[in-house]
Amino acid sequence: MTHTDLKTTPLCAACEAAGGKMVDFHGWLLPVQFKGILAEHKAVREAAGMFDVSHMGQFFVEGKDAWPFLQYINCNNIKNTLGVGTYSHILTEKGTIIDDAISFCLTPEKFLVVVNAACIDGDFAWFTKQAKNFNVTVRNESADWAMIALQGPKAVETADKVVAGASDLPRFHIKEIELFGARGYMTRTGYTGEDGVEIMLPNNKIVELWAALLAHGVTPCGLGARDVLRLEAGYLLNGADADQTRTPYEANCGWVVKLAKENFVGKEALAAQKAQGLKEKLTAFVLKSAGVPRAGCKIFVGAEEKGTLTSGTYSPLFKGIAVGYAALDVTAGTEVEIEIHGKRVKADTVKTPFYKNRV
């Protein structure tokens, strides 16, 4: 099978050499698995695993109005303290979710914003449009940077062997690093629910990092394990659990909305929705018997259809787990039925995250 029409990361050949089974992920050629999803899941939950996340986007926002601009384009309060990162949602004027992103303060007038791969072009167009009234420059440097996510209870101690000071970096912070003769960035973040770091380097240096981590016994992991891990941790999948038809309130992320801010894109729409109340909300479920729930499966209480799943998988920790948009009367403790391949399977409604680590 050929993938000549897909974009590749600088780690593509290294992933293939490590036994990666390569698939199309939003136009990128990426590994879905190496040794297997269960083995990779186990490595991240018990030791350390690494993911090629070089397809993610990097925007540099710079200028006198860098922080006011990010405050305006994000619904959360962006911290302008040196080295601190803030998770937030970028919204349309209707209050719906364009993307979820993390903004890191490099200096009071320079921020690094990490965005989702499938959203890079749309996000950059939106940033550029909104920046016209601010003294700020937005640069899309996504094509220049590669990134490895090192995750798991032993991830940080392993990172210390390769990058000085990893264990000294607080959670959700960033630091500039020198590695393999190049400047890069290290953040204490991830998408698995475990502790760890994400390391950004120029494209021509990332293979050296991959090789160094392999030499320290880190397990290469693919998209399959990443999806199970992130769902267990209760993280949104952009384009599935969150998109431009849903608001942060509906996506069960009201905590990122700061209506007390002077102004931000989508504020009026969100204030109105909060006043009027929701009709549906992202809700979590655990199957009570065998089955693998998937996006698109219907949710029932008795004969009444109550919603639709947006993400679902088999979890080694919980068996069948899923999230989906359901009516507000489907609350934690409610027994529902999930329709899988025409058969209804009983499930319990629960609160997220399904899994909470020791960090």
Side-chain angles (χ1 to χ4, degrees):
M1 184 178 180
T2 60
H3 297 281
T4 55
D5 57 333
L6 300 179
K7 291 177 282 188
T8 59
T9 76
L11 283 170
C12 184
C15 287
E16 290 178 322
K21 180 182 177 183
M22 312 302 283
V23 298
D24 179 353
F25 180 77
H26 296 295
W28 288 86
L29 184 60
L30 292 170
V32 66
Q33 64 179 46
F34 292 84
K35 292 181 179 178
I37 293 174
L38 295 182
E40 294 159 29
H41 175 279
K42 181 180 174 68
V44 174
R45 287 284 180 247
E46 297 181 5
M50 62 178 172
F51 303 81
D52 177 10
V53 289
S54 303
H55 56 303
M56 300 288 285
Q58 290 83 19
F59 297 170
F60 287 85
V61 178
E62 198 165 0
K64 186 180 72 173
D65 290 343
W67 179 69
F69 166 70
L70 288 173
Q71 277 285 82
Y72 177 70
I73 206 169
N74 283 277
C75 61
N76 202 354
N77 271 321
I78 303 301
K79 297 179 179 67
N80 62 345
T81 304
L82 188 65
V84 178
T86 310
Y87 173 84
S88 182
H89 290 177
I90 299 159
L91 308 177
T92 67
E93 289 160 354
K94 294 179 180 178
T96 58
I97 302 167
I98 294 173
D99 198 4
D100 58 341
I102 304 177
S103 298
F104 294 99
C105 180
L106 301 175
T107 75
E109 295 187 0
K110 184 178 181 181
F111 289 74
L112 167 58
V113 184
V114 179
V115 303
N116 282 296
C119 301
I120 292 172
D121 292 342
D123 283 2
F124 187 62
W126 186 247
F127 273 57
T128 302
K129 178 182 177 181
Q130 299 299 329
K132 290 179 180 178
N133 295 323
F134 294 86
N135 185 358
V136 68
T137 300
V138 182
R139 300 193 314 276
N140 177 9
E141 296 191 8
S142 305
D144 301 326
W145 294 91
M147 180 161 63
I148 290 174
L150 175 61
Q151 302 282 287
K154 296 182 179 179
V156 175
E157 66 182 69
T158 303
D160 267 330
K161 299 173 183 177
V162 179
V163 190
S167 59
D168 297 326
L169 187 64
R171 290 285 292 171
F172 250 76
H173 279 60
I174 191 171
K175 68 179 292 185
E176 191 168 339
I177 59 172
E178 286 284 334
L179 193 61
F180 308 120
R183 177 182 64 87
Y185 297 97
M186 177 169 59
T187 65
R188 191 80 175 263
T189 51
Y191 192 51
T192 65
E194 295 293 344
D195 197 4
V197 296
E198 294 180 296
I199 302 169
M200 285 167 267
L201 290 173
N203 292 333
N204 63 347
K205 297 295 181 179
I206 201 71
V207 174
E208 292 179 65
L209 176 60
W210 179 272
L213 293 174
L214 274 181
H216 285 291
V218 177
T219 299
C221 301
L223 296 166
R226 189 167 178 252
D227 191 54
V228 177
L229 293 158
R230 72 90 194 164
L231 185 53
E232 289 177 343
Y235 294 144
L236 297 177
L237 176 61
N238 187 272
D241 309 320
D243 58 28
Q244 293 189 36
T245 70
R246 298 292 182 178
T247 69
Y249 288 133
E250 291 170 325
N252 204 25
C253 289
W255 61 275
V256 303
V257 179
K258 300 299 188 291
L259 290 177
K261 285 206 302 183
E262 182 179 353
N263 195 21
F264 62 86
V265 178
K267 178 179 177 178
E268 289 185 8
L270 290 184
Q273 185 180 60
K274 186 175 183 181
Q276 293 166 5
L278 305 178
K279 294 180 180 179
E280 289 187 324
K281 194 172 188 178
L282 194 66
T283 308
F285 307 95
V286 177
L287 296 191
K288 301 180 79 168
S289 59
V292 181
R294 296 296 187 191
C297 291
K298 300 297 183 182
I299 305 160
F300 291 88
V301 175
E304 189 175 357
E305 185 176 325
K306 290 290 188 175
T308 305
L309 299 185
T310 53
S311 287
T313 192
Y314 170 80
S315 159
L317 303 180
F318 306 98
K319 298 189 177 178
I321 61 172
V323 295
Y325 284 91
L328 294 189
D329 59 353
V330 180
T331 56
T334 303
E335 184 180 87
V336 302
E337 290 181 315
I338 308 295
E339 190 172 80
I340 304 173
H341 301 304
K343 180 182 177 182
R344 294 189 187 180
V345 180
K346 292 185 184 300
D348 286 324
T349 307
V350 299
K351 293 183 178 180
T352 55
F354 298 96
Y355 167 86
K356 190 170 178 61
N357 71 0
R358 299 169 294 280
V359 176

